[in-house]
Amino acid sequence: MRRAVLLCCMLCCMLCCTGILAVTRPPGIFIQPRYDVFFKAGETVELPCVAEGIPNPRYTWEKNGVEFNPSGNDDRMVQLANVGTIVINRPEDKDEGIFQCFAENDYGKSATININLREAKLKDFDVEDDNTVTPYLGESQTLNCVAPESIPPPEVYWVIKEQYGGFTPINFDARVTMDHESRLRFTNVKASDGQDGKAYACMAMNGIVRKNTQGARQFIKPRGSSEVQREVTYMWASPSDHYGLRGDEFRIKCIFAGNPTPDVHWERTDGKPLPDHVKQSSFGQELVFSSLEFSDAGDYECWATNDQTPQRVQRTMSITVKARPYWIEEPKDVELGIGGTARFKCLAGGDPAPDFYWFINSVRLSEANVNSRFKKVSADEVMIVNVTKEDAMVIQCNATNKHGYIWGDVFLNVLSEAPTIMVPPAAQVVAAEGQSVNLTCRTTGKPDPQITWFKEGRQITGGRYRTLLNGDLHIEMVVLADAGNFFCAAENIYGSQNASGTLMVRRKTQIEQRPLDLEVNADQDAKFTCSGTTDPEEVQNLKIKWMKDNKDITANDQRMTTNNQDNSLTISGTIVRDSGTYTCIATNGLDQSSASAMLTVKDRPDAPVNTRIESCEQGNATIRWTPGSYNNAPVQYFIVQYNTTFSPDQWIYALKVPSQKTSANITLSPYANYTFRVLAYNKIGESDPSFPTVKICRTNPARPLHHPENLRTIGDRKGELHIEWTTMPQIQQNGPGFQYILQFKREGDPDSQIQTKPIDDWTVDHFIYATSDVYRPYEITLKAKNSMGEAQQDAVVFTGFSGEEIPGVVPTNLQAKQIEDTRATLSWNFDMSVVGVEATSINGEFRGFKVQVWRRNLRETTMREWDIGPEEVEAGRVGNEISATVDNLLPYTYLEARVAVMNNYYVGRPTDIIQFRTKEGVPGPVEFFKFRNIGDNHFNLEWGSPMDENGEIIGYDIGYQIVSGLDLGKMQDREPQINNRFQTSEILSGLLPSTKYRVYIWARTSVGRGDGYFIELTTSKAGSPEAPRYTISNIGETNINVTWWVNPYARSGTVIFVEYRKEGAPEWQRSTDEVVNTFKNITDLESGTTYDIRVVATNGKQRTESYIEKVTTLGVAAASALVGNIGWFIGMLVALLVLIALVICAYCLIKRGFEMGGKESPDRGGRYPEATYTDTSRIPERSSDFGPEPRGYSNDYYDDRDRDSYYDYDRDADSMRKSQTSLNEKRPPSYYSDKDRYSDKDRYSGQYYDDDDDYDRDAYEDYDRKPSHRDDEKYDRDDDLRYSPSGKSPSGGRTSSSFV
């Protein structure tokens, strides 16, 4: 029973749902033909007609307003199954007509537009005779063409007919073109237009019938041998009043005749720029509107110029824009539920305004059967209220004016259905904050469902949330908090449905680095940089793209490249057209951010145009021009240039004109033909010159303005009067018949002896007159004259001289005084009374003296000359004694000198030669300076003696400084310097490993150092030093000499010191480091004592000891150690016991009343009483008291460093302390025990050879530093006698003083 009830309920629900959801729809045609359909007879043509509707529609046709059945036209015509499309096989002319297709079902009737079916045809040209034209070269020419009748209108071309059939199309250009009436236009005829006798023909072609036809043959036979230059003239143009239809392609054209071929330009007369959709074609002659707009209406001007036409030739056309009807708001299908109100609008525009006609199911509204609920609200709107299922229909609207009509075909469908969500919200919508987003919820159902939105279960109302009419949820300016789950519910009286989706909100994309405005000169590169940030989830999608003036920059822009590494845009080789706004767009596909910058490219200005002569009067011309584009860099000034027929290829500067002016007045010379041109200048550079003025300015002849200039005489040849002048160019001659008039006579002669020489050739610039005079004055006059007379300026009498000769007088008593190393003062006697007098023995104008100096016996190769002019002579003259100083001489050189008097062209016989020697100077640089070996703490250097010694070389100085990057350290001098003039190599030691040095060398004379020479070297890494071989010599009582051998090519270990100790003692003492000498004197030893000696090589990081040698000093041993002399020790104990006994006795005697008496011992003074150790030497108290250590290089610097004695760790600590105690009183002052060294912590901060520490950079940084000396410790050169050159030590032994 329960199952039966449930089954009945389900059946009722299905029936109800079936009734509610049953769908019907009136028909609607969506495929139909064009307004005009053309066919070729015999070829299939198709008239498509396809509609949709529920149930499927039925199709009918009308032809010429009468019902038409395609099946009634035999097998040539068939209607395709299930559609209304008609296919006509083998169409004939009787098939032409106006067709209309209808689609109908039970709910309405839809209709197509009226279709005009026409047969395509092309007739032949009318038969005409051949035509021949014979224009002159340079003239314009027109070939006529009347196109034949054609449906549709034909395409017209011009061709060249070949002699044996076939044709070649004519390629149009700025000179040869076709007007809109199919005529062929030649703006100027050239010889090649004759086409070698081939004919021109007009060709018409119909693409539908695939046929062409040609008109009569036309021939051009040009006349003349050269082209005639012609000004621009009007030839043809589109009508002055021209109208077009909105949306159509529209063309206007201007053709101008002229030779050279005119340049055609277009502009709007109202000053507005041409729209972007307007392009120029036909080489500037035609203006093409791709889609005509109402805003294109107005007056347009075409104008043309060429080199022969200073003024524009122009034509003005007025464009009127009309319009066939077009939709403002096109009618739309309406589907609604029962009881609703349906509105249909037919909003259309047009010029003139269209008329509106309404149809119901293809029947005029006035004839249709409609109820009272159907109302015509206005001419372009109808409505139906309270609709029912029976109101389903198709409504047509026709908007018509004289230019055409538009047809609207829509339906009204009344439905009753439950809601269905057709487009639910996307499962996941991603948006960026700040964007507006739509969540879709598109539904069907009648009545229209009510859409309600929820977020996270809560209904959404108001604010930034808005439910659109189509059901979508619009969220304005989303924020991060908007992310979540959204739910839409659709409900009407028949049911409900819902769907959900998720909105994810990303952080918005932002520009982080904005591009900056740039200003560059043309041909330079411009680079914009830009970067952006976005949500971390979208970083992989972030891209940077660039736009210019709101247009994408594509790969076709080869000069504009983007760099994906820094997102930059580079414009290479910029030009003015690159100027504009560049926009950087950062986008991740969700949102984007942009920033813009301006690029301004500055270039040279364009050449001025339309340069012309406004007026040309005698002696004056007014020039006017039109400035070209200044190309983003304002024009600073203009330069006017001219040329004349005298120099047609030479343009001459005339005038500089301020930028605000566009005209100039030029003063002209008489008797010349002038043309002018203008150049513009801005800060980038100069423009190209303008075209020269077409008009020529001619001036009348006149007298010359002045006589020739620069009149002078040349006295290089005796026996001649040689006269020269500067010629007058033709532009200065001012008229025909130009000549020079030369007059001259000897000064003092009567005027009757004036000689006159006319010269007709204006290019002659000199005249030579033979005479026996030597340097005699002449009065000379040179005049300019033409057919109008002599020059307006008075002629000037010039005094010139005949030719000069070798002077006949010689200076005397030449001497050298005040001789320095590079200069000397010479003096000589000369009779100055012969200067400035006529008939002088100088035989010309006195021009001073010539001094010649050369190295003795090398006159040909070393001679130098000094000219002592008259002013210098007067400055250094005392009576007839004249002195002059010559400089830049070679020092320490034997020189020879002589002096001679001179005139303008000759030098007289010189004085007798004198000899003198310059003083010694500083030498030049060494010939070369290089290294022979590089070690870790030394350089083995070699050099060549100076090429210019400039004296006696007495030695060389070496200095060095550390190079650290671009910084140079303190300069340090090697000490001692080299005093052997023949030495050419040396070792510079005591340097730091892996350190760059700049090493200098100077040669030295008694005057001082010469020019330096330096090289830069880097020491090697620290290596392992080799133990040197050594010998011991000059053994005395308290000193010995240790001499070693150093390998100059060693890689390490050129710093040497000596270690020594008493035989059996645990502690080694050491000498100072030796970086120059190869020997060391060890002093303050004890006589008669055996010592262990070893030599140590070090590089500051490592040390290597040599083998140990034993040596015993001369003399008798002193009791200097308890463990060293047991007898002495026992004696001391006995003496001590005796002393104790005596003290006890004395005490006892005092107790008993006895007194001690005797004389006091005199105070011997000094640090050590003589009674104690008679064989020990005194400790020196200053550097001059030190023993026989070689002088010339101080090692005191190294005494202050951590180079003290070393423990012998093989001994125990007790024996060390004992040894130290015993030696405490007798150690040399330059050496310190370990006890003293470690107790003085302020002075010694650590072990010198600590392998655990880094290399002590201070260890050798000043090894060759020159020590500073106080006045009381000056270097005593006499002390050297103790050591050099004899090499004797104070003890009488020999010492080694050799240098490596």
Side-chain angles (χ1 to χ4, degrees):
M1 183 67 179
R2 216 185 221 178
R3 291 182 180 176
V5 172
L6 182 59
L7 186 60
C8 291
C9 290
M10 291 178 62
L11 183 59
C12 292
C13 290
M14 290 179 62
L15 291 174
C16 291
C17 291
T18 302
I20 294 172
L21 298 178
V23 177
T24 61
R25 180 173 296 166
I29 296 175
F30 62 92
I31 297 179
Q32 59 182 330
R34 300 183 303 274
Y35 285 96
D36 294 306
V37 177
F38 301 97
F39 67 88
K40 179 182 179 182
E43 290 188 358
T44 300
V45 65
E46 182 179 284
L47 300 179
C49 180
V50 181
E52 61 181 4
I54 303 174
N56 291 331
R58 304 176 299 277
Y59 296 92
T60 59
W61 283 86
E62 288 186 359
K63 177 181 179 183
N64 298 328
V66 178
E67 185 176 348
F68 176 75
N69 186 0
S71 61
N73 288 270
D74 57 51
D75 59 349
R76 292 186 310 104
M77 193 175 298
V78 62
Q79 181 174 326
L80 301 182
N82 301 320
V83 294
T85 302
I86 295 178
V87 178
I88 306 176
N89 300 309
R90 304 182 304 281
E92 302 172 357
D93 55 0
K94 68 178 182 178
D95 294 325
E96 292 183 323
I98 305 297
F99 289 79
Q100 189 173 21
C101 175
F102 300 93
E104 182 178 8
N105 65 12
D106 295 340
Y107 299 96
K109 185 176 183 180
S110 178
T112 65
I113 59 174
N114 288 329
I115 304 149
N116 188 7
L117 181 64
R118 302 187 65 187
E119 180 182 1
K121 300 175 182 179
L122 175 64
K123 293 185 177 181
D124 292 331
F125 279 92
D126 294 337
V127 177
E128 297 179 358
D129 295 334
D130 292 347
N131 179 40
T132 301
V133 293
T134 57
Y136 285 100
L137 292 175
E139 287 185 342
S140 61
Q141 182 62 52
T142 299
L143 300 182
N144 293 320
C145 175
V146 178
E149 181 181 348
S150 174
I151 301 175
E155 297 180 36
V156 179
Y157 304 92
W158 280 87
V159 297
I160 303 296
K161 302 190 72 169
E162 301 295 339
Q163 293 180 354
Y164 302 103
F167 59 86
T168 301
I170 294 177
N171 294 320
F172 296 140
D173 54 26
R175 187 181 66 86
V176 181
T177 187
M178 185 176 69
D179 62 29
H180 291 173
E181 296 169 348
S182 305
R183 290 184 286 262
L184 185 63
R185 304 279 184 170
F186 296 83
T187 60
N188 55 80
V189 174
K190 297 187 177 298
S192 59
D193 295 332
Q195 298 293 338
D196 297 328
K198 297 177 184 177
Y200 290 82
C202 178
M203 174 184 287
M205 185 170 66
N206 187 316
I208 296 176
V209 298
R210 297 183 297 282
K211 174 185 175 182
N212 63 69
T213 180
Q214 297 179 8
R217 298 190 303 171
Q218 302 189 54
F219 297 89
I220 296 179
K221 293 184 178 180
R223 291 186 291 172
S225 59
S226 61
E227 296 180 15
V228 179
Q229 301 293 304
R230 295 187 178 276
E231 294 184 352
V232 176
T233 57
Y234 165 74
M235 193 171 187
W236 182 89
S238 299
S240 57
D241 289 316
H242 205 18
Y243 87 89
L245 296 179
R246 174 186 174 275
D248 286 356
E249 183 183 81
F250 185 75
R251 296 172 179 263
I252 53 177
K253 191 170 186 176
C254 283
I255 303 175
F256 295 92
N259 190 26
T261 302
D263 294 322
V264 182
H265 306 270
W266 289 89
E267 58 188 30
R268 290 185 64 144
T269 58
D270 57 8
K272 295 180 181 179
L274 296 176
D276 290 340
H277 63 276
V278 177
K279 306 297 179 185
Q280 294 187 43
S281 67
S282 299
F283 300 90
Q285 296 172 339
E286 191 170 35
L287 212 56
V288 181
F289 298 78
S290 59
S291 179
L292 197 63
E293 303 290 343
F294 287 120
S295 59
D296 296 332
D299 292 337
Y300 291 78
E301 181 180 273
C302 60
W303 56 273
T305 60
N306 66 6
D307 294 349
Q308 303 298 315
T309 310
Q311 302 291 339
R312 292 181 177 182
V313 178
Q314 58 193 31
R315 193 79 175 177
T316 302
M317 280 158 276
S318 179
I319 296 178
T320 302
V321 180
K322 300 293 184 180
R324 61 176 66 87
Y326 58 91
W327 292 118
I328 298 175
E329 182 178 342
E330 191 172 1
K332 297 180 179 59
D333 297 329
V334 176
E335 288 187 331
L336 74 167
I338 296 172
T341 297
R343 291 179 177 272
F344 295 90
K345 293 183 178 181
C346 188
L347 300 181
D351 189 2
D355 296 324
F356 297 92
Y357 303 95
W358 290 93
F359 297 82
I360 305 297
N361 293 323
S362 303
V363 178
R364 284 185 179 271
L365 180 59
S366 58
E367 302 173 2
N369 182 18
V370 296
N371 56 46
S372 59
R373 291 181 291 104
F374 189 100
K375 299 179 180 180
K376 185 176 182 181
V377 180
S378 61
D380 55 7
E381 183 179 3
V382 296
M383 63 181 294
I384 307 174
V385 299
N386 196 20
V387 298
T388 65
K389 291 281 288 183
E390 290 74 20
D391 290 329
M393 66 181 71
V394 178
I395 298 178
Q396 289 94 9
C397 167
N398 185 331
T400 303
N401 68 9
K402 65 179 182 179
H403 301 299
Y405 73 93
I406 51 178
W407 175 262
D409 185 271
V410 295
F411 62 76
L412 169 62
N413 193 20
V414 182
L415 302 174
S416 55
E417 58 178 310
T420 300
I421 297 179
M422 306 299 294
V423 184
Q428 181 175 297
V429 176
V430 182
E433 60 177 332
Q435 286 184 320
S436 296
V437 66
N438 284 358
L439 301 181
T440 58
C441 190
R442 308 285 174 85
T443 62
T444 62
K446 298 300 175 184
D448 291 334
Q450 176 69 35
I451 307 298
T452 307
W453 281 90
F454 301 85
K455 178 188 175 187
E456 306 296 350
R458 300 179 61 181
Q459 185 174 345
I460 296 173
T461 56
R464 294 181 297 106
Y465 298 93
R466 180 163 53 92
T467 303
L468 304 180
L469 294 178
N470 61 3
D472 292 351
L473 175 64
H474 177 79
I475 306 175
E476 190 75 21
M477 301 291 289
V478 298
V479 296
L480 295 175
D482 289 330
N485 186 48
F486 287 79
F487 177 90
C488 84
E491 183 179 6
N492 67 8
I493 59 175
Y494 299 111
S496 64
Q497 193 174 14
N498 54 64
S500 64
T502 300
L503 173 63
M504 302 179 68
V505 182
R506 306 292 194 206
R507 296 186 183 277
K508 66 180 179 181
T509 302
Q510 292 181 322
I511 294 292
E512 190 174 50
Q513 179 184 357
R514 302 173 63 87
L516 302 177
D517 292 341
L518 294 179
E519 188 175 280
V520 299
N521 295 341
D523 295 327
Q524 292 181 343
D525 293 350
K527 183 177 181 179
F528 290 105
T529 57
C530 180
S531 63
T533 59
T534 190
D535 190 278
E537 297 292 332
E538 300 294 335
V539 169
Q540 69 277 8
N541 299 322
L542 181 63
K543 295 180 180 179
I544 301 293
K545 67 177 184 178
W546 290 88
M547 301 181 72
K548 178 184 183 292
D549 298 331
N550 297 322
K551 295 179 180 178
D552 289 334
I553 295 176
T554 64
N556 295 330
D557 300 318
Q558 296 181 358
R559 291 185 305 103
M560 299 184 183
T561 57
T562 56
N563 187 331
N564 293 330
Q565 299 298 322
D566 59 1
N567 299 315
S568 62
L569 172 68
T570 301
I571 302 100
S572 304
T574 55
I575 57 178
V576 173
R577 289 200 303 273
D578 293 330
S579 299
T581 302
Y582 289 79
T583 303
C584 162
I585 300 175
T587 178
N588 58 13
L590 295 176
D591 71 330
Q592 66 181 35
S593 178
S594 63
S596 299
M598 289 293 298
L599 173 61
T600 302
V601 181
K602 298 182 176 182
D603 199 357
R604 301 180 305 128
D606 289 347
V609 297
N610 198 21
T611 304
R612 57 199 182 277
I613 300 175
E614 277 199 342
S615 64
C616 178
E617 300 175 354
Q618 182 61 33
N620 193 13
T622 300
I623 313 302
R624 189 172 295 277
W625 61 90
T626 301
S629 173
Y630 63 88
N631 292 335
N632 298 319
V635 173
Q636 297 174 324
Y637 56 89
F638 298 97
I639 295 294
V640 180
Q641 297 177 336
Y642 69 87
N643 71 356
T644 64
T645 50
F646 301 129
S647 55
D649 297 329
Q650 181 182 6
W651 288 93
I652 304 169
Y653 169 87
L655 192 65
K656 181 177 179 179
V657 182
S659 60
Q660 62 269 23
K661 293 186 177 181
T662 57
S663 64
N665 294 319
I666 310 296
T667 300
L668 309 178
S669 294
Y671 194 62
N673 298 329
Y674 286 88
T675 54
F676 300 89
R677 72 180 187 184
V678 181
L679 296 90
Y681 287 77
N682 61 14
K683 67 179 183 180
I684 309 302
E686 70 175 26
S687 70
D688 293 332
S690 68
F691 287 112
T693 56
V694 176
K695 183 179 177 181
I696 296 176
C697 182
R698 295 178 174 85
T699 55
N700 297 324
R703 289 191 301 161
L705 292 178
H706 58 82
H707 298 289
E709 297 175 342
N710 297 324
L711 184 63
R712 58 198 178 276
T713 55
I714 306 298
D716 58 338
R717 296 181 183 178
K718 70 176 183 177
E720 291 182 354
L721 175 63
H722 186 169
I723 305 171
E724 284 189 356
W725 59 90
T726 301
T727 60
M728 293 181 63
Q730 291 174 294
I731 191 66
Q732 297 178 5
Q733 296 173 12
N734 294 356
F738 180 83
Q739 62 179 188
Y740 303 114
I741 305 297
L742 176 63
Q743 296 177 325
F744 60 91
K745 73 178 183 70
R746 188 162 53 187
E747 192 176 76
D749 289 351
D751 292 345
S752 59
Q753 296 187 14
I754 293 177
Q755 299 193 47
T756 301
K757 301 292 183 181
I759 301 172
D760 296 330
D761 185 357
W762 68 269
T763 62
V764 173
D765 62 354
H766 69 280
F767 178 80
I768 297 176
Y769 173 71
T771 178
S772 60
D773 299 328
V774 175
Y775 196 63
R776 291 294 301 274
Y778 280 78
E779 295 177 354
I780 305 170
T781 303
L782 183 64
K783 300 178 182 179
K785 177 183 178 183
N786 63 18
S787 61
M788 306 298 291
E790 290 186 358
Q792 302 173 23
Q793 186 184 60
D794 292 335
V796 177
V797 177
F798 169 76
T799 301
F801 290 85
S802 58
E804 299 182 359
E805 196 176 6
I806 298 174
V809 61
V810 180
T812 60
N813 194 26
L814 176 62
Q815 301 179 49
K817 301 177 179 179
Q818 300 179 11
I819 302 173
E820 303 293 340
D821 56 346
T822 61
R823 60 191 299 167
T825 299
L826 304 180
S827 68
W828 61 89
N829 293 335
F830 185 77
D831 185 5
M832 296 298 292
S833 63
V834 300
V835 176
V837 298
E838 195 170 327
T840 175
S841 57
I842 298 176
N843 291 334
E845 182 182 5
F846 175 68
R847 300 302 297 166
F849 297 91
K850 184 176 289 294
V851 178
Q852 296 176 328
V853 180
W854 60 92
R855 294 184 67 175
R856 187 173 62 184
N857 301 326
L858 295 173
R859 180 192 302 177
E860 297 296 329
T861 58
T862 64
M863 178 181 285
R864 296 178 58 201
E865 295 183 342
W866 287 262
D867 288 344
I868 312 300
E871 295 81 7
E872 295 179 72
V873 169
E874 287 299 319
R877 182 169 73 91
V878 178
N880 285 331
E881 183 178 344
I882 299 168
S883 299
T885 299
V886 292
D887 52 11
N888 295 324
L889 304 177
L890 295 175
Y892 206 59
T893 305
Y894 286 100
L895 301 175
E896 296 179 338
R898 64 185 182 185
V899 178
V901 69
M902 59 183 180
N903 57 30
N904 284 313
Y905 299 99
Y906 299 97
V907 177
R909 185 170 63 85
T911 63
D912 293 336
I913 296 174
I914 65 168
Q915 297 184 0
F916 61 95
R917 184 182 185 182
T918 52
K919 293 183 178 180
E920 190 174 21
V922 296
V926 297
E927 182 180 2
F928 64 86
F929 188 32
K930 61 183 180 180
F931 69 91
R932 296 194 295 186
N933 168 252
I934 292 179
D936 55 5
N937 62 357
H938 73 278
F939 299 132
N940 189 349
L941 305 172
E942 182 182 12
W943 61 90
S945 58
M947 300 291 290
D948 298 322
E949 294 187 354
N950 298 336
E952 294 291 339
I953 300 295
I954 61 175
Y956 298 90
D957 293 348
I958 294 177
Y960 61 95
Q961 56 190 157
I962 293 177
V963 179
S964 179
L966 297 178
D967 297 329
L968 295 176
K970 180 181 178 182
M971 176 68 75
Q972 302 182 58
D973 288 339
R974 180 186 184 276
E975 287 292 345
Q977 298 289 13
I978 300 166
N979 295 320
N980 183 354
R981 66 167 297 177
F982 301 107
Q983 184 171 341
T984 58
S985 65
E986 184 56 279
I987 293 179
L988 177 61
S989 187
L991 307 177
L992 300 176
S994 302
T995 303
K996 186 176 184 180
Y997 288 88
R998 178 174 289 185
V999 184
Y1000 300 81
I1001 189 168
W1002 301 269
R1004 192 172 70 248
T1005 65
S1006 60
V1007 178
R1009 285 180 175 177
D1011 295 333
Y1013 191 130
F1014 73 84
I1015 57 176
E1016 291 189 351
L1017 303 172
T1018 302
T1019 53
S1020 60
K1021 295 182 179 179
S1024 298
E1026 297 179 2
R1029 301 193 304 272
Y1030 68 97
T1031 62
I1032 300 174
S1033 62
N1034 300 333
I1035 302 172
E1037 291 185 358
T1038 61
N1039 65 282
I1040 61 173
N1041 178 276
V1042 180
T1043 303
W1044 59 86
W1045 179 82
V1046 175
N1047 180 4
Y1049 294 95
R1051 303 295 296 176
S1052 179
T1054 59
V1055 177
I1056 309 295
F1057 61 89
V1058 178
E1059 290 186 336
Y1060 58 95
R1061 67 183 178 187
K1062 288 183 179 180
E1063 184 179 21
E1067 176 187 352
W1068 289 93
Q1069 298 190 56
R1070 55 163 290 173
S1071 69
T1072 56
D1073 292 339
E1074 188 61 64
V1075 296
V1076 175
N1077 296 322
T1078 59
F1079 64 89
K1080 195 70 179 178
N1081 284 331
I1082 307 300
T1083 61
D1084 294 331
L1085 303 179
E1086 296 181 7
S1087 60
T1089 304
T1090 300
Y1091 286 89
D1092 293 334
I1093 305 295
R1094 67 183 180 188
V1095 178
V1096 181
T1098 182
N1099 59 11
K1101 186 70 175 178
Q1102 300 182 36
R1103 55 177 273 163
T1104 303
E1105 299 92 355
S1106 70
Y1107 55 88
I1108 297 175
E1109 280 198 10
K1110 296 182 181 296
V1111 62
T1112 303
T1113 57
L1114 302 178
V1116 179
S1120 58
L1122 293 178
V1123 296
N1125 193 329
I1126 190 64
W1128 178 87
F1129 178 66
I1130 294 172
M1132 287 295 295
L1133 288 178
V1134 172
L1136 182 59
L1137 292 175
V1138 173
L1139 179 61
I1140 294 172
L1142 290 175
V1143 170
I1144 294 173
C1145 290
Y1147 179 76
C1148 293
L1149 291 174
I1150 292 172
K1151 283 289 188 178
R1152 295 183 179 187
F1154 289 93
E1155 293 182 0
M1156 297 292 294
K1159 296 182 181 179
E1160 295 181 359
S1161 298
D1163 186 4
R1164 305 237 173 190
R1167 185 173 298 180
Y1168 302 97
E1170 294 181 0
T1172 306
Y1173 297 108
T1174 59
D1175 56 9
T1176 58
S1177 60
R1178 178 176 60 86
I1179 296 178
E1181 295 181 350
R1182 60 178 182 172
S1183 61
S1184 62
D1185 293 335
F1186 273 91
E1189 183 178 350
R1191 300 303 303 265
Y1193 185 87
S1194 174
N1195 289 308
D1196 293 345
Y1197 175 80
Y1198 299 98
D1199 294 345
D1200 294 337
R1201 309 178 70 86
D1202 297 345
R1203 294 169 175 81
D1204 305 303
S1205 59
Y1206 294 84
Y1207 287 133
D1208 188 342
Y1209 292 102
D1210 296 333
R1211 307 278 184 170
D1212 56 37
D1214 292 336
S1215 64
M1216 288 173 58
R1217 285 193 290 271
K1218 292 175 182 178
S1219 176
Q1220 185 65 34
T1221 304
S1222 66
L1223 296 175
N1224 188 42
E1225 294 294 326
K1226 302 217 172 185
R1227 60 187 176 189
S1230 295
Y1231 311 130
Y1232 298 90
S1233 68
D1234 288 274
K1235 178 179 179 181
D1236 294 337
R1237 178 168 54 139
Y1238 288 110
S1239 63
D1240 191 355
K1241 294 182 179 179
D1242 293 336
R1243 184 174 182 182
Y1244 300 99
S1245 60
Q1247 298 262 358
Y1248 182 69
Y1249 296 104
D1250 186 356
D1251 291 336
D1252 295 333
D1253 295 337
D1254 291 338
Y1255 180 76
D1256 185 359
R1257 294 187 63 89
D1258 294 334
Y1260 293 111
E1261 64 180 2
D1262 291 327
Y1263 278 170
D1264 290 346
R1265 181 183 298 169
K1266 184 175 181 179
S1268 61
H1269 303 286
R1270 298 190 303 273
D1271 293 339
D1272 61 340
E1273 294 182 359
K1274 290 184 178 177
Y1275 183 75
D1276 187 357
R1277 295 184 178 272
D1278 294 336
D1279 290 346
D1280 288 343
L1281 297 176
R1282 290 180 296 172
Y1283 316 108
S1284 174
S1286 65
K1288 294 273 182 113
S1289 67
S1291 64
R1294 298 292 298 178
T1295 63
S1296 174
S1297 59
S1298 62
F1299 285 73
V1300 178

